[in-house]
Amino acid sequence: MKHIKNLACLLLAMIIVLNFGTAAFAANSTGSITIHPNTNVSVAGKTFNAYKILDVTSYYDDSVVYTVPTALKAFYQTRYDLTGNESDFDAQVAAKIAEENDLFAFAADALAAAKDAGITPGTETAGADAESVTISNLPLGYYVVEDVGGAKPISALMLDTTNPDIELEIKADQPGIDKKIDGDNDSDDSTTGLVENNNAAVGSIVPYVVTSRVPDMTGYEKYYFVVNDTLSKGLTFNSDVTITIGSKILVQDTDYTVTKTDNDDGTTSVEIVFKNFIQYKDNKNDAITIKYSATVNEAAVIGVAGNPNTVTLTYSNNPNIQDAGTSGNPDKPIPSSPTGETPKEYTRTYVTAVELIKVDSHGNRLTGAEFTIEGTMLNTVLVRTDVYTENTNGMYWKLKDGSYTTDDPNTDGIDPDKYESTVTRYIKTIQTTVINKSENVSYTATVGTDGILRFEGLSAGKYTITEIKSPAGYNLLEKPINISIDWTAPAAPSTDCSWGVTGNNSAIVDNGIVKITIENNAGAELPSTGGTGTAIFYAAGAILILAAVILLVTRRRMNFKV
């Protein structure tokens, strides 16, 4: 995502990695910057200034040594919280610049600092019919290029290092957009700070933070600024948008509108249109912060794939063309309006499930057991049970181990001995129960006829699963099952997260779902005629009879002696 943001910033502020070939140059070598027009903007009649904000003292192949000009030392000290006495001060500054997330904002600050420091720029003005303009005799270094020419200057800044002869295309100011999930909240996500991905339970509220900035609108008389968000069908928009520009809190319907559209594919589109955005012309580079939230619902995708949410920004990109916008809404562009669109920014929310599989000591499926699940991170539980019933039109057959299959036992190559019946068919229905958010969650559900019970819509956390009713003829589990589910965000470029489980040796994770095979043992065998059970009673009776005889004989002898 950082690369995407940097690429977006390059439309205004460009950083070119040095590649000087195999030759080494003297430190006093000079170069040039040639600026070309783009498809919408001409350089004709424009004046460009190039301010050097870092010196190059040596370079060879791909190795470059930058040093900070004395006049800008205080600027870099303040920006990067340095004392100026660091032995590697210059190297730290170069590294910090390379880590800048918003290169345009940095270039704007560096330009202001260079002007305040009285640095003399290289300058050139293009001719009236010029197709390019070149600033020559520039000492090698890292430059901020300012477009100051023309009645309607398009490009405020460009950033470059002479190479020694660099060619650039003029760039109009392009605002970027970024979207994160706020981890500092009371949801099930234990992450803090702004993150791109999180895990949550059904019923959890996912708070989003979308950030941008007020672009340079020099030369514009009207400016479109529209945010478009798409939530997957597992996320329900909460219609709680708040927006600030700098320190100003905007008012919905007065300063912006929010339009929610439910799409046929189950997704939700949210459009935020800023009204009369040109009014913020004097707030250039002020932060724009948009906050809203969504609730994870019962349609959430379970497992590793996640529930995506995307955002893009549509913005004006040519001040020389004006139009009236959408009929009835002049602040919303039409397809032919002079606008650009940022690349999509993604966030994803991940949800898991616990699947219980009941079997006997031989691995055959059992049904009828009841379980209670309790958890520290549980908000809303979605319980799904697959129920199979006999139906002559059904597409399922029952196997002897209690599971079901769509493989027709009457097909060549299929072993019919594995099937409970080669005639009886079943249909499958899914029974779903949603348990609303509660402080103390405790829910009981019954294992389906396929021997499976699934608790869906869970987040990472600690859970206790207790069997409260065993299958007919089987013993209850002696102890509850305690598990701990952990979650790891996906590593780019993959979007699949990782789930893990500990606490129970039979628990595994399969495609993001925690599966636990639970074995029930049959109850104690009842005694039968001739069996060990009756023998015990016979033996006990014989002992009692013998004791009675001994007591009777003893008493008679005692009476005889008397």
Side-chain angles (χ1 to χ4, degrees):
M1 185 170 291
K2 180 177 178 181
H3 295 299
I4 295 175
K5 283 200 302 188
N6 284 344
L7 287 175
C9 292
L10 286 181
L11 293 176
L12 172 63
M14 298 180 60
I15 180 170
I16 307 298
V17 178
L18 286 175
N19 180 13
F20 295 112
T22 58
F25 294 87
N28 60 356
S29 295
T30 61
S32 65
I33 298 177
T34 299
I35 303 163
H36 299 280
N38 63 25
T39 56
N40 295 319
V41 182
S42 170
V43 299
K46 294 184 178 297
T47 298
F48 295 87
N49 291 335
Y51 291 84
K52 182 158 62 71
I53 59 173
L54 285 181
D55 297 322
V56 171
T57 56
S58 66
Y59 47 92
Y60 186 87
D61 290 335
D62 294 330
S63 177
V64 181
V65 177
Y66 291 107
T67 57
V68 175
T70 302
L72 293 177
K73 186 172 183 178
F75 164 69
Y76 288 119
Q77 285 178 241
T78 302
R79 186 175 187 85
Y80 299 126
D81 195 23
L82 302 171
T83 66
N85 297 321
E86 292 86 354
S87 59
D88 60 343
F89 176 80
D90 296 322
Q92 285 199 47
V93 169
K96 293 289 187 181
I97 292 174
E99 294 173 357
E100 289 278 354
N101 285 332
D102 190 340
L103 203 53
F104 176 84
F106 163 73
D109 293 341
L111 175 63
K115 289 182 176 181
D116 290 341
I119 293 178
T120 302
T123 185
E124 191 63 56
T125 300
D129 299 321
E131 294 184 357
S132 65
V133 58
T134 300
I135 308 174
S136 303
N137 299 317
L138 295 173
L140 297 185
Y142 197 46
Y143 282 85
V144 174
V145 181
E146 178 190 26
D147 177 358
V148 295
K152 295 182 178 179
I154 308 303
S155 180
L157 299 169
M158 289 180 288
L159 186 64
D160 197 277
T161 303
T162 55
N163 197 22
D165 299 298
I166 279 293
E167 295 188 4
L168 302 176
E169 182 182 276
I170 191 171
K171 304 297 178 183
D173 185 5
Q174 173 186 313
I177 195 166
D178 189 25
K179 183 172 187 178
K180 292 289 190 292
I181 297 169
D182 190 353
D184 293 323
N185 61 82
D186 295 329
S187 74
D188 290 346
D189 181 21
S190 60
T191 308
T192 58
L194 298 178
V195 296
E196 296 174 9
N197 307 287
N198 78 330
N199 76 95
V202 168
S204 293
I205 294 176
V206 182
Y208 297 107
V209 179
V210 176
T211 56
S212 186
R213 61 173 178 79
V214 178
D216 184 350
M217 293 184 278
T218 302
Y220 285 89
E221 297 177 3
K222 178 179 180 178
Y223 199 96
Y224 294 116
F225 201 91
V226 180
V227 175
N228 291 284
D229 197 309
T230 303
L231 291 83
S232 63
K233 61 182 180 180
L235 297 167
T236 301
F237 178 57
N238 291 328
S239 299
D240 54 354
V241 176
T242 62
I243 302 178
T244 59
I245 294 183
S247 59
K248 179 182 179 180
I249 300 174
L250 274 56
V251 178
Q252 186 169 337
D253 297 328
T254 298
D255 300 315
Y256 64 92
T257 60
V258 178
T259 303
K260 169 181 169 289
T261 303
D262 295 323
N263 303 315
D264 292 340
D265 61 358
T267 62
T268 301
S269 296
V270 179
E271 179 188 68
I272 302 173
V273 177
F274 285 73
K275 291 188 172 184
N276 190 30
F277 190 77
I278 195 68
Q279 67 180 300
Y280 308 110
K281 186 175 183 178
D282 294 336
N283 298 85
K284 183 175 69 173
N285 291 325
D286 277 4
I288 301 174
T289 302
I290 306 171
K291 294 185 177 182
Y292 52 92
S293 68
T295 300
V296 183
N297 61 45
E298 296 86 351
V301 174
I302 306 298
V304 300
N307 299 271
N309 178 237
T310 63
V311 66
T312 61
L313 171 65
T314 300
Y315 58 92
S316 294
N317 66 357
N318 192 337
N320 297 315
I321 301 176
Q322 302 291 334
D323 64 16
T326 301
S327 176
N329 189 353
D331 298 301
K332 180 178 177 180
I334 58 177
S336 60
S337 296
T339 59
E341 185 176 278
T342 61
K344 290 182 179 179
E345 284 283 310
Y346 286 88
T347 64
R348 285 179 171 81
T349 297
Y350 297 85
V351 181
T352 189
V354 172
E355 183 175 282
L356 308 181
I357 305 168
K358 289 293 294 180
V359 297
D360 62 15
S361 58
H362 300 290
N364 298 313
R365 300 289 181 92
L366 298 175
T367 187
E370 292 183 4
F371 287 88
T372 295
I373 186 168
E374 300 172 297
T376 58
M377 302 287 282
L378 204 59
N379 273 346
T380 299
V381 180
L382 178 66
V383 180
R384 191 194 75 178
T385 304
D386 292 344
V387 178
Y388 293 86
T389 54
E390 291 186 22
N391 189 299
T392 55
N393 297 319
M395 298 300 296
Y396 291 87
W397 283 265
K398 189 174 183 180
L399 298 173
K400 290 181 178 179
D401 65 2
S403 62
Y404 293 81
T405 180
T406 56
D407 293 334
D408 188 338
N410 303 301
T411 304
D412 291 341
I414 297 295
D415 183 2
D417 293 337
K418 295 181 179 180
Y419 291 77
E420 186 178 79
S421 169
T422 59
V423 177
T424 306
R425 295 186 176 191
Y426 297 82
I427 59 172
K428 180 176 75 171
T429 56
I430 300 175
Q431 293 182 358
T432 302
T433 305
V434 179
I435 312 305
N436 293 325
K437 184 175 181 179
S438 172
E439 290 295 328
N440 298 306
V441 175
S442 178
Y443 185 72
T444 300
T446 303
V447 174
T449 54
D450 60 346
I452 294 176
L453 170 62
R454 180 185 285 188
F455 295 98
E456 293 186 347
L458 307 180
S459 64
K462 295 180 179 179
Y463 297 92
T464 297
I465 302 167
T466 306
E467 186 178 42
I468 61 173
K469 179 183 177 182
S470 64
Y474 289 82
N475 295 324
L476 276 173
L477 296 180
E478 293 181 359
K479 297 180 181 180
I481 298 171
N482 295 302
I483 59 172
S484 180
I485 302 175
D486 58 78
W487 175 82
T488 303
S494 173
T495 57
D496 287 354
C497 71
S498 298
W499 294 95
V501 59
T502 57
N504 185 277
N505 293 333
S506 65
I508 63 170
V509 177
D510 182 10
N511 198 32
I513 298 174
V514 176
K515 296 186 176 183
I516 306 174
T517 300
I518 301 174
E519 181 180 318
N520 275 109
N521 295 315
E525 184 179 356
L526 296 176
S528 59
T529 302
T532 303
T534 55
I536 293 175
F537 291 109
Y538 295 150
I543 292 173
L544 291 175
I545 294 172
L546 179 61
V549 171
I550 294 174
L551 179 61
L552 178 62
V553 172
T554 302
R555 285 181 175 179
R556 285 183 176 181
R557 288 183 178 180
M558 292 176 65
N559 292 334
F560 179 75
K561 290 180 179 181
V562 174

